[in-house]
Amino acid sequence: MSLFTHILACLLGMGSWVSINGLWVELPLLVPQIPEGWYLPSYLSVLIQMANVGPLFVTLMHRFQPGKLNETAVIYFIIGLGTAASLLLALFWKETTVVAGAPRSVALLVLTFFLSTVDCTSSVTFLPFMMRLKPQYLTTYYIGEGLSGLLPALVALVQGVGVVDCVNVTAAAWAPNQTAAAAATELEARYQPANFSPEVFFYFLSAMMLVCLVAFLLLNHHPAVAREHRNGDYTNGVKATHGRSQASEKGAVRTDPFRVVNAEPRSGFGTGAYSTREVLYIFGILAWVNALTNVVVPSVQSYSCLPYGNKAYHLSATMAAVANPLACFIAVFIPIRSLLSMGVLTCLGTGVAAYIVSMAALSPCPLLVHDTSGVVLIVCAWIVFVLTLSYVKVIIGVILRDEGHSALVWCGAVVQLGSLLGAVTMFPLVSVYSLFSSGDPCNSKCP
């Protein structure tokens, strides 16, 4: 295997979601300077789901006009669009336009929609493109996809996003039968100024998209990468012998220790290695896992962590971002593709997710809110949640990669479908019915 190709595959994966992930971590610096304020996260959630028009178009083209869509041209277009939109965001994110008599951040919202379309469409284009390379490079791509969340988080950490100081302030407290105000001292949360501006951060995002574009160019045209392309002598990652595949010689080929691809197909999906029920099981888990990891649990992260303090919140966010690429790295050396193990890990991750959401629902007074063990539990919960379900996503991607190009297109489509269902569920709960209450990082109101 080529280390150079691994690096390029990783850089391509990093460009898949770096723009939207970067926008989310930059929110604490954006919302005080725009008219939408903290309604912006709700608007972003809606825009990201509207951007699923991109993957829907690609999926329908593959389904009804197979071979008509130039996948390489689409990838060039969306990476170029993402680079331009990130650059324009640095220039115009603060600009407002009067709409219906009130100022609105039209430029920010429109450019966010374009970035969302780029990132959502990458799910149904980047993965199928990886079919051109040998199977080992798909896991490297997933490592890069995990880094697309970690790298902006680390840059935002250096920037000083969301760092809070608890400052003593004097407030007027009126006593019952008194006409004068008594001085009362309380703590007030104040955000520290950032080390550099959001404009610089958006220039960083545009640079990352440009790096992704260069990586894709090299993946298509560099001679060293051409030697790593999967050619006609490979069938599902298994090299043929004397012009005939091992599958045709032996009637079956073992692509992993947990299943045998029989000569007699069990379904019309991919190679026919899995029955229709197993295919539905795999895609059901894929949709569920992405709903949890992309929308449901992240949407309540602040509610679950802030009651335990600002340090608990930042530690949870940072360690969760580290756990994603770590899970992909583990999958390189321990590629367990047992469907039973996949179900067990999904149940474990779901149970931990239920604990996180429960603590968010109990905010601002979750369990053990005044105890160090509560901080340890919530941080560990976030690490285990991201680690287990990210591993499941990678293994499903590897399984579907063995089933062919069309399977990876459907993989990307189901990823976006799961995210959409998660958003439809959580948006009214968080933004409309306000079922979750924020904790104050400086003043606890819990007994």
Side-chain angles (χ1 to χ4, degrees):
M1 291 185 292
S2 165
L3 176 61
F4 178 67
T5 307
H6 274 297
I7 293 173
L8 294 180
C10 184
L11 291 175
L12 179 66
M14 285 176 62
S16 59
W17 282 93
V18 70
S19 299
I20 292 301
N21 288 334
L23 196 59
W24 278 109
V25 300
E26 196 70 1
L27 284 180
L29 293 184
L30 301 183
V31 293
Q33 303 184 55
I34 59 174
E36 287 77 12
W38 278 107
Y39 285 107
L40 180 61
S42 299
Y43 295 155
L44 292 185
S45 299
V46 173
L47 288 171
I48 291 171
Q49 301 317 314
M50 289 173 60
N52 279 309
V53 65
L56 177 63
F57 170 75
V58 173
T59 304
L60 292 177
M61 284 293 293
H62 278 289
R63 175 65 180 86
F64 297 107
Q65 296 290 332
K68 296 288 186 180
L69 192 66
N70 188 331
E71 199 168 75
T72 302
V74 172
I75 295 177
Y76 276 125
F77 173 75
I78 63 173
I79 298 178
L81 178 62
T83 305
S86 299
L87 183 61
L88 291 173
L89 203 58
L91 301 173
F92 300 109
W93 71 273
K94 285 194 293 187
E95 299 296 324
T96 59
T97 304
V98 176
V99 178
R104 301 293 180 189
S105 302
V106 175
L108 173 63
L109 297 176
V110 170
L111 291 171
T112 298
F113 172 75
F114 286 139
L115 289 177
S116 303
T117 304
V118 169
D119 291 358
C120 291
T121 309
S122 72
S123 298
V124 292
T125 51
F126 286 12
L127 280 175
F129 171 80
M130 294 304 297
M131 275 292 297
R132 303 183 184 186
L133 301 176
K134 296 174 183 178
Q136 297 86 348
Y137 295 108
L138 181 62
T139 307
T140 309
Y141 168 84
Y142 273 113
I143 293 175
E145 193 173 87
L147 292 174
S148 72
L150 175 61
L151 194 58
L154 293 178
V155 174
L157 199 62
V158 174
Q159 186 184 14
V161 171
V163 178
V164 174
D165 280 336
C166 296
V167 181
N168 284 323
V169 295
T170 301
W174 290 91
N177 304 320
Q178 289 183 353
T179 57
T185 300
E186 64 179 19
L187 295 176
E188 182 179 276
R190 292 182 180 175
Y191 287 101
Q192 293 182 1
N195 296 322
F196 52 87
S197 67
E199 287 85 353
V200 175
F201 185 83
F202 290 136
Y203 283 130
F204 159 75
L205 293 183
S206 61
M208 288 303 304
M209 291 302 299
L210 188 59
V211 168
C212 176
L213 179 60
V214 172
F216 186 65
L217 277 167
L218 293 175
L219 283 171
N220 275 287
H221 302 292
H222 199 282
V225 178
R227 292 192 291 270
E228 301 300 317
H229 278 206
R230 187 175 65 93
N231 53 42
D233 292 335
Y234 281 82
T235 304
N236 296 321
V238 181
K239 193 171 183 178
T241 304
H242 302 299
R244 299 174 60 198
S245 69
Q246 291 178 351
S248 61
E249 288 186 16
K250 300 179 181 180
V253 53
R254 185 180 293 273
T255 57
D256 64 68
F258 298 99
R259 72 176 176 92
V260 174
V261 181
N262 299 311
E264 197 66 36
R266 299 171 63 191
S267 71
F269 179 80
T271 64
Y274 295 98
S275 67
T276 301
R277 182 177 298 179
E278 289 172 333
V279 171
L280 293 176
Y281 169 78
I282 292 171
F283 278 128
I285 286 182
L286 182 63
W288 174 253
V289 165
N290 278 279
L292 290 180
T293 57
N294 295 349
V295 181
V296 174
V297 181
S299 65
V300 297
Q301 184 173 30
S302 60
Y303 302 106
S304 68
C305 299
L306 274 181
Y308 296 100
N310 196 54
K311 289 184 178 179
Y313 173 76
H314 279 283
L315 192 58
S316 298
T318 303
M319 295 306 296
V322 172
N324 194 327
L326 178 61
C328 304
F329 190 73
I330 292 172
V332 174
F333 301 99
I334 312 176
I336 300 175
R337 288 190 268 182
S338 164
L339 299 186
L340 177 60
S341 299
M342 185 191 304
V344 171
L345 288 174
T346 302
C347 290
L348 173 62
T350 302
V352 176
Y355 172 79
I356 294 172
V357 175
S358 298
M359 295 305 101
L362 292 173
S363 177
C365 299
L367 300 178
L368 303 172
V369 66
H370 296 306
D371 200 311
T372 304
S373 59
V375 177
V376 173
L377 279 175
I378 197 65
V379 172
C380 290
W382 271 97
I383 294 172
V384 173
F385 163 70
V386 175
L387 194 66
T388 53
L389 297 190
S390 295
Y391 181 87
V392 170
K393 288 195 287 186
V394 175
I395 294 306
I396 291 178
V398 172
I399 287 175
L400 295 178
R401 188 245 173 258
D402 284 344
E403 299 307 306
H405 180 278
S406 178
L408 284 180
V409 174
W410 282 107
C411 175
V414 172
V415 166
Q416 295 306 123
L417 176 62
S419 300
L420 174 62
L421 294 177
V424 169
T425 302
M426 293 304 295
F427 180 79
L429 297 180
V430 175
S431 302
V432 178
Y433 298 109
S434 302
L435 296 184
F436 299 91
S437 301
S438 298
D440 190 328
C442 295
N443 300 289
S444 175
K445 299 180 181 178
C446 303

